[in-house]
Amino acid sequence: MASDAVWLVELTGFTDVAASTVYRYATRGYITARTDTPAETYYEELVRSPGTISRQLFADGTSGALANPRTECAYGAITLANIHGALDAVFDNATISFRERPVRVLRVQQGQPYSTAVLIMAGVISQVSLSRDEVTVGIKDALYLLSSPHITTLYGGTNALPNGVDGVADINGKAKPLIYGKVFQIEPPCVNTSRLEYQVSTAAVQSGTVYDGGVALTNGATYASQAAMEATAPAAGQARWWLGGGVFRLGSTPAKRITADVVADTSGNSTAAQIIKRMALDRGVPSGDISAADVSAMDALNAAVCGIYIDDQSNTLDLMDQIARSAGMYYGMDRLGLLRMGRFGLPFGTAQATVASWNCSAVERQANGEDVPTTTLRLKYARYYAPQDRGALAGAVTDAQASDYAQPYRVATYTGTLSPNPHRRTLTAERETLLTAKADADAEALRLYGITSAPRRTHLIKDALLDDASLAALDLNAVVGLRWARYGFSAEAESLRRVIAIVYDYAAGRCDLTVWGP
């Protein structure tokens, strides 16, 4: 541990929902300056270890281009000296709760004011355990807070027919649907059986087309309010929308199954990055905890329209995975508690740091399942949420239309030819997406082919020694230059590699890097 650096640990404990105290500890006794906020505050010298952080873009041994898009983060526990039980009154007190409360680790130079401290890690406390002479504080990142149902609003079945849009007993307890972006062939619940009103989303929508047995109904004039919708029925054979409530009303009893295509948002708000951002906001993530720069950068890389229909209690992270996978994205919380996102691809540009024999202990080749190229990419797009067979469709529907209605996805395929091809067999990769247009699916299939059509290699760099600034700035998806005299690399020239996993040891000023590339 550097002799002139002090590590500060801040743990927030709550004695009531709105009443909290920050408990402050350090590797060496430290007091903030009179001009600091907080002013003249003491950090007791009780920190034995400020913890470690391990982050990776995807699970070990999986393909970078086709893996789960959610980053993984793990923290080594913070340990505090608790000689003779001095901290029992704080951490063994039933009236103080630390679970799922904020934790921060900072580094400051000895004798310097708190205003110069560098935030190293921000997370939440998972649990606290006590031993004879030590307190161990487990940490996890805030992303776990989204691993719960995205929709918590349910139908109550409280309609007093013919009024109301809360359904009756048949949908009591069912999740109220929600749409982001643009979706096709959803089957919305009938929320008023007397007036034939159907709800596609609890949020306002832009437009929609209703189908009765696969035949599109004519849209009448839109309603301005629920009251207007309840007061006036559409003409027979028509549908009229109350866009603000995400509801449409039919003018006559349907002959077949009712489905709908819905545009819930503008194209600019329907990109993968925008939908993930809005999902996070809807779950209470503060806007300041979402990287606006990352959202803008992803929109510039992939502005394709996506869409997702949610009518159950799927958890937010699983839904985000579906969206991110559609645009070749990854997403997750960084070590400072900021929701980050980006697109994974081959390394290019200028190396952020150089690693070579003089500043690391070893480089090792790791298996990654990418030694055989993928020559065919199949991307599913334009999902139909309620596929229908011929018997469910009206007689006016053509055979070609019926064939289309029966398929849950359309498929974009790209196949390349390798030359030379020394492999006994090549691979076909298939991915489900929430893209809505063939051109966008074609473009993504081609991009993925460029990544997966040749073997890619993964290497572990052990004990990379970097200066404080480089170590603090280095993050997942960064590009580093590797100089090494083995595995096809050169000790004289840099080979660009993308960082796909990193284990930080800030106290020692080093890290282990897992890097990937051609």
Side-chain angles (χ1 to χ4, degrees), residues 24-46:
R24 305 172 190 274
Y25 307 102
T27 52
R28 282 183 288 169
Y30 177 82
I31 188 168
T32 65
R34 183 176 301 173
T35 55
D36 280 329
T37 302
E40 298 181 314
T41 300
Y42 182 59
Y43 286 71
E44 192 172 0
E45 186 176 337
L46 293 176

Side-chain angles (χ1 to χ4, degrees), residues 7-11 47 49-55 73-79 101-107 114 117-126 137-142 333-338 471-472 504-506:
W7 292 80
L8 310 178
V9 172
E10 300 175 349
L11 306 169
V47 175
S49 170
T52 59
I53 307 173
S54 173
R55 302 178 64 229
C73 188
Y75 296 92
I78 295 169
T79 55
R101 299 301 189 180
V103 54
R104 302 200 324 155
V105 176
L106 305 94
R107 186 187 69 243
Y114 181 78
V118 177
L119 179 63
I120 298 302
M121 182 275 291
V124 293
I125 299 168
S126 58
V137 181
I139 313 165
K140 54 188 174 183
D141 77 51
M333 293 291 186
D334 70 7
R335 60 184 174 82
L336 303 183
L338 189 68
L471 186 60
Y504 302 90
D505 186 345
Y506 290 103

Side-chain angles (χ1 to χ4, degrees), residues 76-124:
I78 295 169
T79 55
L80 308 175
N82 188 29
I83 306 301
H84 307 307
L87 296 178
D88 289 359
V90 174
F91 294 102
D92 196 29
N93 189 327
T95 64
I96 304 175
S97 173
F98 289 92
R99 193 174 183 87
E100 300 182 354
R101 299 301 189 180
V103 54
R104 302 200 324 155
V105 176
L106 305 94
R107 186 187 69 243
V108 65
Q109 297 303 109
Q110 181 68 27
Q112 296 301 306
Y114 181 78
S115 58
T116 65
V118 177
L119 179 63
I120 298 302
M121 182 275 291
V124 293

Side-chain angles (χ1 to χ4, degrees), residues 275-342:
I275 291 175
I276 287 179
K277 171 187 172 181
R278 289 167 51 220
M279 282 184 168
L281 291 172
D282 287 348
R283 289 302 311 278
V285 176
S287 59
D289 289 349
I290 304 172
S291 172
D294 283 3
V295 173
S296 296
M298 265 310 307
D299 279 348
L301 290 170
N302 192 323
V305 171
C306 298
I308 188 167
Y309 175 64
I310 312 165
D311 66 346
D312 57 19
Q313 293 185 287
S314 296
N315 79 65
T316 302
L317 292 181
D318 289 343
L319 299 170
M320 286 182 168
D321 287 351
Q322 296 177 47
I323 291 292
R325 193 176 291 113
S326 303
M329 291 175 58
Y330 67 89
Y331 74 96
M333 293 291 186
D334 70 7
R335 60 184 174 82
L336 303 183
L338 189 68
L339 179 60
R340 304 293 306 274
M341 59 187 75

Side-chain angles (χ1 to χ4, degrees), residues 4 21 27 46-47 49 65 77 92 102 116 124 205 207 232 293 332 345 352 363 372 381 473 475 491 506:
D4 58 348
T21 300
T27 52
L46 293 176
V47 175
S49 170
D92 196 29
T116 65
V124 293
V205 300
S207 62
T232 307
Q352 188 171 317
V363 175
V372 176
Y381 71 98
D475 207 344
Y506 290 103

